[in-house]
Amino acid sequence: MAPWIAVVGRSAQGANELITALVEKCRNEGLSVGGVRQVPVLKEGERIGYDAISLSTGERLPLARITADADKQDLCDLRFESDAFGVVEQWVCREKWDVNVLPVGPLERRKQGYWPTITKLRSEGRGALVLLIRPDVLTSVVLGMDDPIDGVEL
């Protein structure tokens, strides 16, 4: 099993800044870094969804968009792109990175979203994992996992 580190915090508490600094520090130490970060997509100052950005290549893809149609909502007011998580898994698994960074939220609590990729990385021992975990899903997500090697609460 791959070792993992928990970074726990809510949106807008500095997770993106911490991840940017962590990626830079790892690269300066000669470590390769894979994974993604999620960023809000804004239109006229309003959030309309989220994109995923590859930490290794900078590639960007639409992850989720807000929809008013309740029949098309996957989580809250969001509709997730059908192939987005598969593309992210391809990004993350195309090489064996020393460090992999992935966000964990309500979809992962349901064992969806990035969870299959996290499970694959852990079971194959594909580098250390840094999981950005929202506090409201922390307990339900980590109950079935071994203890992290470290943690940071924002």
Side-chain angles (χ1 to χ4, degrees):
M1 285 286 176
W4 65 284
I5 297 168
V7 177
V8 182
R10 291 185 182 2
S11 298
Q13 287 188 314
N16 278 330
E17 292 83 1
L18 177 67
I19 291 308
T20 300
L22 175 70
V23 168
E24 183 178 328
K25 174 83 170 150
C26 287
R27 288 185 177 144
N28 288 341
E29 296 292 325
L31 300 171
S32 61
V33 180
V36 298
R37 65 184 181 102
Q38 289 180 185
V39 295
V41 177
L42 304 175
K43 182 176 182 181
E44 298 174 8
E46 296 290 322
R47 179 181 59 88
I48 62 166
Y50 293 94
D51 282 357
I53 299 177
S54 168
L55 294 175
S56 60
T57 65
E59 293 173 88
R60 185 178 187 132
L61 86 141
L63 182 63
R65 294 295 180 263
I66 292 176
T67 180
D69 186 345
D71 292 333
K72 294 183 178 181
Q73 293 173 346
D74 296 314
L75 182 68
C76 301
D77 59 352
L78 295 171
R79 174 72 181 164
F80 287 83
E81 299 294 327
S82 61
D83 63 342
F85 293 106
V87 171
V88 167
E89 184 169 317
Q90 290 173 6
W91 288 350
V92 175
C93 294
R94 75 172 67 150
E95 291 185 38
K96 186 173 180 181
W97 308 103
D98 296 317
V99 178
N100 294 285
V101 179
L102 288 164
V104 176
L107 278 181
E108 290 71 30
R109 174 177 43 204
R110 299 177 186 175
K111 308 300 184 218
Q112 299 172 345
Y114 299 114
W115 193 255
T117 304
I118 292 168
T119 301
K120 180 176 184 172
L121 292 170
R122 291 194 70 234
S123 67
E124 295 178 1
R126 296 176 63 104
L129 282 169
V130 177
L131 301 179
L132 305 168
I133 306 174
R134 290 181 36 177
D136 53 319
V137 303
L138 177 64
T139 303
S140 58
V141 168
V142 302
L143 275 177
M145 298 172 69
D146 54 318
D147 288 341
I149 58 172
D150 208 346
V152 175
E153 184 175 349
L154 302 176

